Amino acid sequence: MNSVASHKFSARTQLATLLLAGTMLAGPAFAQAVQPPAVPAPTVPAPSSEAAPTAATIRSITVNGNQRLEAQTILSYLRLRVGQTYDRAMLDQALKDLAATELFKDFQISDDNGALTIQVVENPVINRVILEGNKRLKEDKIRPEIKLSPRQIFTRSKVRADVARIIELYKRQGRFAATVEPKMVQLDQNRVDVVFEINEGPKSKVRQINIIGNEKFSDGDLKDEMATKQSSLMTILSSNTSYDPDRLAYDQQKLRLFYLSNGYADFRVISAVAELTSNKQDFIITYVVEEGERYKFGKVDVESELRDFRPETLKTLLPMKEGDWYDAKAVEDTVESLSETAGLFGYAFADINPEFRRDPETRTMDITFNVAESPRTYVERIDVNGNTLTQDKVVRREFRLNEGDAFNSFGVKRTENRINSLGYFQENLEIERKEGSAPDRIILETNVEEKPTGELSLSAGFSSIENFLLQASVRQRNFRGLGQQLQASVNYSSYSKSIELGFTEPYLFDRNISIGGSVYRRDLNSFNFINNDRQTTFQQITTGAQVTVGVPLTEYLSAFGRYSLNFDDVTLDRTLYYFGDDCDPLVAGRYLCDAIGKRTTSLLGFTLAYDDRDNRIRPTRGQAMSVSQDFAGLGGDVKYVRTRLNGSKHFNLGSRFILNISGEGGYIYAFGSPPTPTSDKVRLTDRFFLGEPQMRGFDIRGVGPRVIRFGLPANYDPAAPVLDTSLANRNNQVDDALGGRAYYQARVEVDIPLGSGAKELGLRPSVFLDVGSVFGVRRPDLTTLGDFLDPADGFTKNLCRNSTTGTQSFATRAADAAAGTQFTTCPEGTTSNLSPFEERFFGDTWMPRVSIGAGVNWNSPFGPFRIDFAYALRKEEGDDTKRFSFNVGTQF
């Protein structure tokens, strides 16, 4: 038997760069898979019947061509053994076994009278996997999905699988026209580079949504209910304009819910088809619907097998009444409400089944809510999982239920709100309820996902209030995983500087008592504007410390006590505001002269706070109220009582619209005598001020009592017609806000939801209405024309002053015959002069100021950004209004 039988299965690569697979296209209706080159089935040339028997014995097996693999390893994949009889079917199976290993790109078996020779060419080793053309989807998103990696054996099946994975990633991004072309670059030593050439294509948008069969509701009404939006200029920021098969199924449910909530109980979506346009870039979605007839509620009843549930009582609480239009959403909410009510009585797994009886003739829907019997449930165990940094006790102390307690759904919901308010874990955390070891046992499982609680902020920017500003702060809200808060901050701007260190322990010695303290230094430069130039009026330096202790009185009511000690130093620029060694009231104003000096304030205060909001960080419902008082006078130089009231309420209006109504007010009463008989007992630096940013539409300290100086020309004759000192041009006047003893402020604001695309950018727009006023200050003594009236001729004159000697006199009038004008001159030796002006007092009224506007918060890459546009609907004479304001690089 001298014949030789050869079996081959090969996929040789001849070019340095070889196309491994054709372009893969993917879409909702079709997909063209990458296929390897067609390979004919292995065949065995048939020798003559006289030369080869049907079966023979294997005398030897030799492996040739292997480089990395041992011959014995290759033989282990085969069922051929020396001494074994074999036939053609066994050789065919051996070829299939070699192909199944995917280790070889070419192999064959030669037979010489039982001496078998296995000739192999091993698949190359991957040197590198290279991605080209991916711009919209970065490598860190693609590489975790790719199974090919360096030093692996190259196989075509792995390449096809990786191409499919990359295509799927782009489909999730809405890029259905993306193509991936794999190529292989042959290297020496049987190595290859695998290159995935990616053509991302445009993002597939929903060009059009067609609805067929709707008669009761317009296309616009139905499209508003869908999550998928039609691509247009109005939805440019929305990510819901891309095609998503899952969203298509969700929209069908949304349509069904909409019709069922409006009484159309027979509504159904007959078909929903998404068609890719001819350019493979956009989709056209077509819905075919059948509305059916509209139903009303018939008889509505409740049947209960729970002894604590009285059907006649529960029936009166049902939101639907006989004769109302049928509303499936109301039925669903009623089932949830009954389940929550059962949970309040300890029935965690109460079975509420609505039974429907439809009458097509009268088009009514009878409903009976059946409350099945179930055992009262007790908490068997509380599990907390996923907390890698936060200690268990920090989470467990927020639970309103303990192990062994009767189950209470209200306690579970309250626990969820309290854990969410910590801000340590993912948003909208929910506690799972699992069956325990017995029917009357329940396990509460809390799966948390830690998120960063440390904040390092370094920012610089420009604001319309502070001009140039710089901020650096470090804050850890969950220090050591114990819920402690540690913070340090430094702020610097053109007109204010501060540094503060603080620490808070929320549970002192593991008891529900909070204690915190801070030390600080604040430098504030108050200012006004003269001819558009910002001018500092007084500087206040405050150095102090504060200690706060808080205890809960009830679940929602807490009490806080605090003590602070402040050292204040208020100064004026001596070169500008002093005449001789004393503060000059003609230059500074009597109200500023009364404020200067060093004072110590010893302050003892308390706060009663009520808070039942669902989330203290970003609430959507609930209310918060507080009353606080501070008593100054336990030592120190200042004595007063300051009272403040605050309140806010949040409403979830649906569709992610949140309404916030808030209000606050305060009053300060000072003891003792004023610094001078004509000044106010409450110091300028202790009064309330109102304006930007608290009340938008008005400038900083732009609301309330103020003194405005109007400049007068020299030699003005008081007997002449009244000089026009209107408020039209505020840039040419000196405006000093005085503040007040009392203030109030109210705000109505609605947060407007945007699409997920805008939400990912951190945009949170809102519209608002602000109302407020500050008032109640003693009218100051004002400078009038009489202070500049020269008794010699009855005209107003410049005051000529000598700060060295402390003397002053009026300028003399002279005439310039050539020019035909008059002018005033000061006596020789006078070092300064003061031009005539008149002061007027405005704004001391409780009448409200009102502004409306819109704003947006943006968590920009260069720091928090807040921009507001507001218009003052109502103001008082003297108020400073401002329509546009923004802040960059600082907290708001």
Side-chain angles (χ1 to χ4, degrees):
M1 291 186 293
N2 297 321
S3 63
V4 177
S6 297
H7 291 217
K8 290 188 178 181
F9 184 96
S10 66
R12 250 188 214 104
T13 303
Q14 301 291 343
L15 301 177
T17 303
L18 176 66
L19 179 65
L20 293 177
T23 300
M24 173 179 281
L25 301 175
F30 63 90
Q32 180 179 348
V34 176
Q35 298 292 341
V39 178
T43 59
V44 180
S48 62
S49 57
E50 298 82 7
T54 58
T57 302
I58 300 175
R59 295 186 294 108
S60 65
I61 302 176
T62 305
V63 178
N64 295 328
N66 54 311
Q67 297 177 352
R68 297 183 307 273
L69 297 174
E70 297 289 339
Q72 195 62 36
T73 301
I74 298 175
L75 292 177
S76 67
Y77 296 119
L78 307 178
R79 305 175 189 177
L80 302 176
R81 299 291 183 269
V82 175
Q84 181 183 22
T85 59
Y86 71 100
D87 55 17
R88 297 177 185 276
M90 293 183 65
L91 294 182
D92 288 339
Q93 183 60 47
L95 289 174
K96 294 178 181 179
D97 291 340
L98 288 174
T101 65
E102 295 189 335
L103 297 175
F104 313 103
K105 66 178 179 180
D106 188 19
F107 47 87
Q108 63 184 19
I109 300 177
S110 300
D111 179 12
D112 185 7
N113 294 330
L116 301 182
T117 301
I118 302 174
Q119 187 73 32
V120 299
V121 178
E122 295 176 349
N123 269 334
V125 175
I126 298 174
N127 179 56
R128 290 184 302 167
V129 179
I130 303 171
L131 301 175
E132 292 182 355
N134 56 308
K135 297 179 181 179
R136 300 295 182 179
L137 207 57
K138 302 303 180 183
E139 288 200 12
D140 59 347
K141 301 295 184 183
I142 299 178
R143 287 201 176 275
E145 300 295 326
I146 295 177
K147 302 306 178 184
L148 287 178
S149 62
R151 294 183 297 279
Q152 280 189 351
I153 302 299
F154 170 86
T155 66
R156 293 172 178 269
S157 61
K158 291 181 180 179
V159 171
R160 290 195 299 270
D162 283 346
V163 168
R165 293 187 185 99
I166 297 173
I167 290 292
E168 181 61 28
L169 285 177
Y170 277 98
K171 287 170 60 179
R172 294 175 191 172
Q173 297 290 324
R175 299 183 182 275
F176 286 81
T179 61
V180 179
E181 186 177 353
K183 291 185 177 181
M184 183 177 70
V185 179
Q186 192 74 45
L187 304 175
D188 57 359
Q189 298 179 357
N190 200 21
R191 296 176 303 131
V192 292
D193 285 343
V194 179
V195 181
F196 291 103
E197 291 187 354
I198 301 172
N199 181 8
E200 296 178 315
K203 196 167 187 177
S204 301
K205 300 288 186 180
V206 176
R207 178 185 297 179
Q208 188 173 344
I209 299 176
N210 300 319
I211 305 175
I212 300 174
N214 57 310
E215 298 178 356
K216 305 300 182 182
F217 297 97
S218 67
D219 287 4
D221 292 336
L222 299 183
K223 289 177 183 179
D224 288 342
E225 296 298 318
M226 298 179 185
T228 303
K229 301 300 179 184
Q230 203 168 279
S231 179
S232 67
L233 291 176
M234 300 297 294
T235 57
I236 191 170
L237 293 177
S238 174
S239 62
N240 290 345
T241 57
S242 60
Y243 172 74
D244 187 340
D246 294 334
R247 197 184 296 130
L248 184 68
Y250 175 70
D251 285 339
Q252 296 180 58
Q253 296 300 321
K254 291 279 287 183
L255 285 175
R256 186 171 184 274
L257 178 61
F258 175 73
Y259 271 94
L260 291 178
S261 298
N262 284 279
Y264 295 89
D266 295 328
F267 172 82
R268 65 193 184 101
V269 178
I270 298 177
S271 66
V273 179
E275 297 177 294
L276 194 63
T277 57
S278 58
N279 60 3
K280 300 181 179 61
Q281 293 185 6
D282 297 325
F283 282 89
I284 297 175
I285 300 176
T286 302
Y287 295 92
V288 180
V289 302
E290 182 180 310
E291 294 179 319
E293 299 294 336
R294 195 177 188 188
Y295 283 73
K296 290 186 176 181
F297 281 112
K299 183 180 179 181
V300 182
D301 203 356
V302 178
E303 295 182 358
S304 173
E305 297 180 10
L306 297 179
R307 62 180 181 178
D308 299 305
F309 269 41
R310 296 182 179 180
E312 59 275 10
T313 302
L314 294 175
K315 186 176 179 180
T316 61
L317 301 178
L318 297 180
M320 67 284 294
K321 305 297 179 184
E322 187 172 353
D324 294 344
W325 289 112
Y326 173 73
D327 187 344
K329 183 66 167 59
V331 175
E332 182 181 339
D333 293 343
T334 301
V335 171
E336 184 177 348
S337 177
L338 290 175
S339 298
E340 290 295 324
T341 303
L344 294 176
F345 291 91
Y347 299 98
F349 302 109
D351 187 11
I352 316 293
N353 294 311
E355 180 183 336
F356 299 91
R357 295 179 299 278
R358 182 181 312 186
D359 189 341
E361 295 183 1
T362 60
R363 290 198 291 274
T364 58
M365 184 78 73
D366 296 340
I367 300 179
T368 300
F369 293 95
N370 295 309
V371 184
E373 184 178 3
S374 61
R376 193 183 296 272
T377 314
Y378 297 87
V379 179
E380 177 180 351
R381 192 172 73 248
I382 296 175
D383 293 337
V384 179
N385 305 319
N387 51 317
T388 57
L389 171 66
T390 305
Q391 296 189 14
D392 269 16
K393 66 178 182 179
V394 174
V395 181
R396 290 182 179 275
R397 66 195 182 194
E398 302 300 329
F399 271 80
R400 302 297 95 181
L401 293 172
N402 294 318
E403 294 174 348
D405 289 350
F407 175 82
N408 185 294
S409 59
F410 175 80
V412 174
K413 185 62 178 177
R414 178 60 183 164
T415 300
E416 290 175 348
N417 291 340
R418 290 179 65 94
I419 296 177
N420 282 320
S421 294
L422 293 175
Y424 305 159
F425 311 111
Q426 75 275 21
E427 294 183 3
N428 302 322
L429 175 144
E430 293 184 358
I431 298 175
E432 296 184 23
R433 309 173 190 181
K434 295 187 175 181
E435 295 182 359
S437 58
D440 62 344
R441 295 290 184 266
I442 186 173
I443 298 173
L444 300 180
E445 185 174 286
T446 307
N447 295 306
V448 301
E449 182 181 337
E450 301 262 14
K451 67 179 184 181
T453 56
E455 301 172 6
L456 173 61
S457 174
L458 297 173
S459 60
F462 183 89
S463 80
S464 56
I465 299 177
E466 296 286 341
N467 288 346
F468 173 77
L469 54 91
L470 177 68
Q471 181 210 29
S473 65
V474 178
R475 183 186 180 200
Q476 175 54 259
R477 294 181 290 109
N478 189 14
F479 184 57
R480 300 190 300 161
L482 295 173
Q484 300 167 339
Q485 181 170 301
L486 180 67
Q487 62 182 12
S489 64
V490 176
N491 292 275
Y492 176 86
S493 72
S494 302
Y495 292 92
S496 65
K497 307 171 185 65
S498 69
I499 182 171
E500 183 170 355
L501 301 174
F503 176 80
T504 301
E505 168 57 73
Y507 276 76
L508 184 64
F509 306 123
D510 290 329
R511 296 181 179 273
N512 202 355
I513 300 174
S514 66
I515 185 169
S518 62
V519 293
Y520 44 83
R521 164 71 180 259
R522 304 185 182 111
D523 294 2
L524 170 67
N525 293 338
S526 184
F527 54 86
N528 57 32
F529 288 93
I530 302 177
N531 296 327
N532 276 333
D533 294 327
R534 197 168 187 173
Q535 175 176 296
T536 299
T537 53
F538 68 88
Q539 183 182 43
Q540 179 182 359
I541 300 176
T542 301
T543 305
Q546 178 173 283
V547 177
T548 303
V549 178
V551 293
L553 302 179
T554 66
E555 176 63 25
Y556 301 111
L557 184 64
S558 301
F560 300 89
R562 59 185 169 273
Y563 175 77
S564 60
L565 184 64
N566 295 326
F567 301 95
D568 293 327
D569 186 8
V570 180
T571 58
L572 295 173
D573 189 336
R574 299 185 68 89
T575 61
L576 292 177
Y577 298 107
Y578 275 66
F579 180 53
D581 295 328
D582 299 319
C583 177
D584 187 356
L586 286 179
V587 179
R590 292 174 176 84
Y591 36 87
L592 283 184
C593 290
D594 294 340
I596 62 175
K598 295 182 179 181
R599 296 175 179 86
T600 301
T601 304
S602 177
L603 203 64
L604 183 65
F606 74 90
T607 297
L608 285 176
Y610 178 88
D611 190 346
D612 67 355
R613 294 173 296 176
D614 60 344
N615 192 314
R616 295 182 182 179
I617 299 175
R618 189 169 295 177
T620 60
R621 57 172 58 89
Q623 57 193 348
M625 296 176 288
S626 68
V627 56
S628 63
Q629 281 192 314
D630 293 290
F631 304 89
L634 300 177
D637 307 315
V638 183
K639 295 178 174 59
Y640 63 77
V641 176
R642 181 172 58 206
T643 304
R644 289 177 183 262
L645 298 173
N646 286 273
S648 65
K649 189 170 181 62
H650 301 266
F651 302 88
N652 191 334
L653 303 180
S655 300
R656 296 188 292 122
F657 284 88
I658 306 299
L659 170 64
N660 174 29
I661 300 176
S662 61
E664 61 179 284
Y667 183 79
I668 184 169
Y669 178 82
F671 300 98
S673 302
T676 64
T678 59
S679 62
D680 199 287
K681 290 195 297 183
V682 180
R683 293 187 308 159
L684 177 68
T685 53
D686 291 329
R687 298 174 196 161
F688 298 112
F689 292 88
L690 193 60
E692 185 189 358
Q694 300 95 337
M695 189 166 180
R696 294 156 291 190
F698 294 86
D699 208 344
I700 183 171
R701 298 188 174 188
V703 176
R706 61 205 327 100
V707 171
I708 299 178
R709 291 188 177 190
F710 301 89
L712 301 175
N715 300 317
Y716 174 70
D717 184 358
V722 177
L723 182 68
D724 181 18
T725 54
S726 68
L727 300 174
N729 189 357
R730 299 295 290 270
N731 293 331
N732 295 325
Q733 302 157 7
V734 179
D735 184 346
D736 287 325
L738 303 184
R741 298 184 187 182
Y743 86 102
Y744 67 87
Q745 183 187 5
R747 175 178 297 172
V748 178
E749 189 161 9
V750 178
D751 290 340
I752 302 174
L754 294 178
S756 58
K759 185 177 180 181
E760 291 171 1
L761 293 175
L763 294 175
R764 291 188 294 114
S766 64
V767 293
F768 56 83
L769 169 71
D770 288 350
V771 178
S773 180
V774 59
F775 54 94
V777 67
R778 180 168 180 169
R779 182 184 180 91
D781 287 344
L782 303 175
T783 299
T784 64
L785 294 179
D787 295 302
F788 295 91
L789 191 63
D790 189 346
D793 57 10
F795 286 89
T796 60
K797 301 290 185 62
N798 288 356
L799 281 177
C800 302
R801 327 184 77 190
N802 191 316
S803 58
T804 303
T805 62
T807 60
Q808 65 182 28
S809 60
F810 288 99
T812 58
R813 184 175 60 177
D816 186 344
T821 59
Q822 294 182 343
F823 59 94
T824 58
T825 60
C826 287
E828 185 176 353
T830 303
T831 57
S832 64
N833 67 80
L834 189 63
S835 300
F837 65 86
E838 182 176 79
E839 292 181 333
R840 294 188 182 181
F841 181 60
F842 298 96
D844 189 15
T845 175
W846 61 269
M847 294 296 291
R849 282 69 157 178
V850 182
S851 67
I852 59 173
V856 62
N857 285 326
W858 178 31
N859 293 328
S860 68
F862 45 87
F865 182 93
R866 171 78 193 190
I867 184 171
D868 289 296
F869 182 84
Y871 176 76
L873 292 178
R874 190 184 187 283
K875 60 180 180 177
E876 292 292 328
E877 188 177 18
D879 290 344
D880 289 338
T881 60
K882 188 176 186 179
R883 294 191 179 183
F884 176 80
S885 61
F886 67 91
N887 283 280
V888 180
T890 185
Q891 297 296 323
F892 45 84

